[in-house]
Amino acid sequence: MQILLRSFGNLRRIIGSELHLEMCEGSLLRDLLLSLPGHERLLDGLKIRDDVYVLVNGRSVTDINTALKDGDEIAIVPAIIGG
Amino acid sequence: MLRRVLYIDLTRGESWVEEKDDLFEEWLGGTGVATQLLLKEAPAGVDPLSPDAPIIFSIGPLSTMFPAMTKTVAQFKSPLTGELGECYAGGRLAMAMRFAGHESIVIKGRAERPCYISIENDNVKIREATSIWGIGAGRVGVILRDVEKGVGRRSIIRIGPAGERMVRYAAVIVDTYRHFGRLGLGAVFGSKNLKAIVISGTEDVSIPDSKRYREVYNRIYRMVVQTDAMEKYHDLGTPINVNVLNQLKGLPTRNFQSSSFAEAENISGERLAEEYLFRRVSCAHCPIGCIHIAMLKTAFTPHHEFEVRRVSYDYEPIYSLGSNLGVTTAEGVLELIDACERLGLDAMSTGVVLSWATEAYEKDLITPQETLGVPLQWNNVKGYIKAMENIVAAPNDFYAALARGVEFAASRYGGTDFAMALGGNEVSGYHTGPASIVGQLVGVRHSHLDNAGYSIDQTAAKKQLDPSSMVDQIIREDDSRSVFNSLVGCLFARGVYTDENIIDALGSVGITKSREELTELGRKIFLEKYRFKSREGFDLSKARIPRRFFETVSTLGRIDPETVEKMIALYKERRGWA
Ligand code: SF4
């Protein structure tokens, strides 16, 4: 199945701004995240780090065992920064 | 340590210094001390633009002695909201005040003619400024650099035409690229015929135990430069938030009509860093360098030479003058930021005033006669620049109303449902959820920086937070920031300045405080600020929340007005005001 992945902020330098990925049927979000370069910047053990947001089709997802489906759009976003 | 207050009376042309050990002992410095000076020096109900209204500047006990302890707080009665005016600026001002030996400065009165103040240690001169009145803030800085002493140890702060004309949200420009932006300090300068202040000095600071100081200093310095606590501010800086908020549906767009912007990428921190960034600079005594400077290249006239302008950018102006005005190019946003700088306007208030005006124009609440033919349309950068110039020149009632802020303009022309102010102050760029709204509403200066409600909403996007725990967090931030702002550190460094590090740093300069004492002090300072606010007429029960907040989807989905009401009621109860 085809997955479109986008990343933002300083994560872009590690992951790239836009990737078209071919994943096996039945893949989970964790499979995708663990396949990315610099995945330690995204995961704290098997949890998404507090300062990273993963959106699947625009919705924030915290469960890395979420099943992916063909055509999913995933955004990996760092936390808001400021005073 | 010198704990002195410099008083300057512009009406009488006099200045004097008072030692105020007890004041600093009890209230630490910065905002704690400034609040006490404001309560004492501002007569109840004073007109903010009258000679009797004071301006207070304060630094803190760690200023320039520890990394990122770089800010100066200004307090005054705000001509925009009619209650507490408070804003912070970095640059070199805190360093120059430290060298001059004054932890606070109080300015009162009104000069007969345009003037600027030159301070060198205890030596204060009030000088004629007729020849620089009417000149843009950038140029005034260049002129004063030439005629005043103190190179390397001085700071120059000044107003532009907006301050002279008393636009209620005029800024004071601090050195290069820093500002006392919010709540109209520039107008208060203008009302006093005060164009600029130059300050420098040669005082030493004595440290009681230099070995201990060095040890604590080195530990904190290492945390600043060797951990990732502050790196993100140097890297892309706060403009990283453009794409982040756009993805999280929290980026105010076209006057909060939407929370995502199709052209966000064009005005994002990533795009600016790739194509426009040419250097980063720092406040004095900060190793981070988060001030991002873009190079804006424009043609003088078609087919002729180019002009290159250096424009500093961060997230808030990109929101207010960018997505919020539907501006689709980085050049457009930089042009608008540069126009604010030239005129001496606060970028955030200006953007929100113009976004309200654009929507009001679309809805026929305002006529082309009133705009004097200026097309107020999303993404019309030239039109917006002309409108800004008109806000400053106030050629008719409409622009004079815009110069008094969005709350006032909407009270005259209608459209209060989409006049995006809280507590009378134009709002910040986070449509993240209820904590951002409540945080700005209850905050002492109605700013996202009072308690970072947006950050609480962001946490809630991942884990369930009920209204009650959100309110508790807002109160904790309100109070702990009152302590940090009494040290007047840069809020970007607050992750480094844990309670333990603050206690150690204070101890190393001879000030002993326990965690409990600091917690209690934070609460007391917050309540003292509310004493000023209430005295000047602020009433939380009557505060208006624009309906637009509840119409547009936020990071946490559609915001329920009942949740916000409940949080305000809980807040009042926990503060003991119910
Ligand atoms: S982090 Fe930025 S704003 Fe803060 S003190 Fe350093 S340079 Fe100034």
Side-chain angles (χ1 to χ4, degrees):
Chain A
M1 59 186 177
Q2 292 277 342
I3 305 286
L4 173 61
L5 180 117
R6 292 198 182 92
S7 82
F8 297 91
N10 24 25
L11 297 172
R12 243 183 211 178
R13 237 173 274 146
I14 309 166
I15 300 171
S17 66
E18 192 170 304
L19 305 176
H20 295 269
L21 301 170
E22 184 65 49
M23 306 279 297
C24 307
E25 286 301 322
S27 294
L28 305 178
L29 180 61
R30 63 190 279 182
D31 303 320
L32 183 146
L33 294 177
L34 283 167
S35 73
L36 294 174
H39 55 77
E40 62 286 350
R41 288 286 306 268
L42 312 176
L43 295 170
D44 186 1
L46 282 179
K47 269 180 59 201
I48 295 168
R49 272 173 52 150
D50 282 349
D51 58 354
V52 173
Y53 289 75
V54 177
L55 311 178
V56 179
N57 302 322
R59 298 180 73 97
S60 173
V61 166
T62 49
D63 180 4
I64 60 164
N65 292 320
T66 302
L68 300 178
K69 23 180 230 320
D70 187 39
D72 274 351
E73 292 191 10
I74 297 182
I76 304 185
V77 185
I80 304 168
I81 66 170
Chain B
M1 196 186 307
L2 296 164
R3 316 233 61 182
R4 309 188 312 172
V5 182
L6 170 66
Y7 289 85
I8 301 169
D9 185 329
L10 291 173
T11 307
R12 296 191 307 190
E14 289 174 359
S15 70
W16 65 97
V17 171
E18 292 182 19
E19 308 255 341
K20 298 242 179 210
D21 285 345
D22 292 351
L23 179 70
F24 290 96
E25 180 92 4
E26 184 173 0
W27 299 100
L28 205 54
T31 198
V33 164
T35 304
Q36 293 306 308
L37 291 169
L38 184 70
L39 277 160
K40 178 153 183 271
E41 299 293 339
V46 70
D47 173 350
L49 299 176
S50 77
D52 291 339
I55 297 170
I56 324 277
F57 294 108
S58 274
I59 58 171
L62 305 179
S63 294
T64 70
M65 295 200 283
F66 280 91
M69 284 292 162
T70 52
K71 304 278 172 170
T72 303
V73 56
Q75 277 198 7
F76 48 99
K77 181 169 173 180
S78 166
L80 181 67
T81 63
E83 39 113 341
L84 180 67
E86 181 182 80
C87 50
Y88 294 78
R92 293 189 297 272
L93 181 57
M95 173 201 74
M97 282 178 67
R98 171 67 76 214
F99 279 139
H102 310 298
E103 268 194 45
S104 296
I105 300 174
V106 177
I107 301 169
K108 297 194 285 193
R110 173 186 289 153
E112 233 171 75
R113 279 187 298 279
C115 74
Y116 74 93
I117 303 173
S118 169
I119 303 167
E120 189 194 4
N121 300 324
D122 287 355
N123 194 353
V124 177
K125 298 226 160 56
I126 299 167
R127 298 195 205 270
E128 172 73 35
T130 313
S131 60
I132 52 172
W133 199 255
I135 294 182
R139 185 87 200 115
V140 167
V142 173
I143 294 168
L144 291 178
R145 271 200 283 278
D146 276 352
V147 298
E148 285 288 327
K149 291 193 283 189
V151 181
R153 288 173 159 244
R154 75 180 165 197
S155 175
I156 301 175
I157 71 175
R158 65 275 177 196
I159 56 172
E164 295 171 9
R165 304 292 303 252
M166 289 179 263
V167 174
R168 303 291 174 115
Y169 43 92
V172 173
I173 316 302
V174 175
D175 301 312
T176 321
Y177 310 126
R178 300 284 85 188
H179 311 88
F180 285 115
R182 310 240 58 205
L183 295 168
L185 180 63
V188 184
F189 266 53
S191 75
K192 297 190 173 315
N193 271 329
L194 176 60
K195 180 73 179 174
I197 303 174
V198 184
I199 177 163
S200 68
T202 50
E203 291 285 347
D204 290 331
V205 180
S206 60
I207 304 280
D209 178 351
S210 56
K211 187 162 167 274
R212 182 170 172 206
Y213 168 69
R214 258 201 310 276
E215 184 269 310
V216 180
Y217 181 98
N218 288 341
R219 173 154 50 85
I220 291 177
Y221 183 84
R222 275 196 301 273
M223 283 181 79
V224 170
V225 295
Q226 288 174 6
T227 67
D228 60 5
M230 292 185 74
E231 192 213 340
K232 53 197 176 210
Y233 294 103
H234 174 80
D235 197 0
L236 293 174
T238 55
I240 196 176
N241 291 345
V242 175
N243 270 338
V244 170
L245 282 160
N246 191 45
Q247 289 298 316
L248 296 176
K249 297 192 183 62
L251 179 68
T253 301
R254 296 188 192 89
N255 199 35
F256 285 72
Q257 294 187 76
S258 165
S259 52
S260 52
F261 184 41
E263 276 86 7
E265 184 71 39
N266 290 347
I267 60 168
S268 66
E270 292 89 323
R271 178 65 57 85
L272 281 153
E274 265 164 35
E275 294 179 16
Y276 299 89
L277 178 65
F278 102 108
R279 67 187 294 218
R280 299 175 181 90
V281 295
S282 262
C283 303
H285 208 153
C286 173
I288 296 303
C290 80
I291 306 166
H292 289 63
I293 315 294
M295 204 152 55
L296 175 64
K297 191 175 161 192
T298 42
F300 274 129
T301 50
H303 318 300
H304 282 88
E305 315 274 313
F306 285 95
E307 172 188 31
V308 176
R309 284 173 280 166
R310 282 170 287 182
V311 184
S312 77
Y313 64 89
D314 45 56
Y315 171 64
E316 295 294 344
I318 300 177
Y319 130 71
S320 62
L321 299 166
S323 60
N324 195 45
L325 293 178
V327 175
T328 56
T329 62
E331 284 95 341
V333 177
L334 293 171
E335 286 272 8
L336 291 171
I337 296 176
D338 191 51
C340 278
E341 190 80 11
R342 175 167 55 85
L343 295 164
L345 287 165
D346 173 45
M348 287 168 70
S349 286
T350 303
V352 173
V353 164
L354 290 175
S355 68
W356 168 83
T358 307
E359 195 175 338
Y361 189 71
E362 266 183 358
K363 293 188 157 73
D364 292 330
L365 299 174
I366 299 164
T367 63
Q369 286 74 27
E370 276 154 340
T371 70
L372 301 175
V374 176
L376 290 173
Q377 293 156 337
W378 308 119
N379 199 24
N380 189 330
V381 172
K382 281 205 168 59
Y384 286 137
I385 291 175
K386 186 67 203 154
M388 285 182 198
E389 287 165 354
N390 282 345
I391 286 171
V392 174
N396 66 3
D397 287 350
F398 169 65
Y399 286 106
L402 292 189
R404 297 189 64 165
V406 79
E407 189 83 44
F408 181 85
S411 75
R412 284 293 155 96
Y413 294 90
T416 46
D417 285 349
F418 55 87
M420 302 309 287
L422 288 166
N425 191 20
E426 287 75 22
V427 298
S428 326
Y430 306 90
H431 190 47
T432 49
S436 174
I437 299 172
V438 175
Q440 289 179 77
L441 190 72
V442 302
V444 287
R445 53 191 159 127
H446 306 295
S447 158
H448 65 296
L449 297 172
D450 285 322
N451 44 45
Y454 68 88
S455 175
I456 301 170
D457 287 329
Q458 183 180 228
T459 308
K462 272 197 172 177
K463 43 180 153 206
Q464 217 51 54
L465 279 185
D466 60 14
S468 168
S469 56
M470 283 183 163
V471 167
D472 284 342
Q473 280 197 49
I474 289 173
I475 291 176
R476 257 202 310 278
E477 285 294 320
D478 276 341
D479 293 355
S480 66
R481 285 171 186 235
S482 297
V483 173
F484 195 64
N485 290 337
S486 296
L487 307 172
V488 221
C490 173
L491 284 171
F492 295 168
R494 70 192 188 289
V496 170
Y497 285 95
T498 56
D499 284 356
E500 194 195 2
N501 280 345
I502 289 176
I503 290 166
D504 283 354
L506 284 171
S508 78
V509 299
I511 298 171
T512 310
K513 292 277 178 208
S514 67
R515 190 184 298 251
E516 294 69 35
E517 282 171 329
L518 290 177
T519 306
E520 178 54 19
L521 179 65
R523 198 184 65 83
K524 257 173 61 183
I525 294 170
F526 176 88
L527 293 175
E528 285 293 276
K529 290 187 187 183
Y530 253 85
R531 183 154 75 87
F532 183 84
K533 290 167 75 72
S534 310
R535 194 188 85 178
E536 300 304 321
F538 176 70
D539 181 352
L540 189 50
S541 323
K542 299 205 178 103
R544 180 185 75 86
I545 302 177
R547 192 175 340 178
R548 176 60 48 81
F549 276 124
F550 306 117
E551 294 167 346
T552 303
V553 162
S554 75
T555 302
L556 297 182
R558 216 168 281 279
I559 303 167
D560 179 2
E562 276 176 26
T563 307
V564 169
E565 266 169 42
K566 186 172 166 195
M567 284 174 69
I568 295 168
L570 278 171
Y571 186 89
K572 290 205 289 204
E573 189 187 304
R574 289 186 192 159
R575 284 286 183 199
W577 300 336

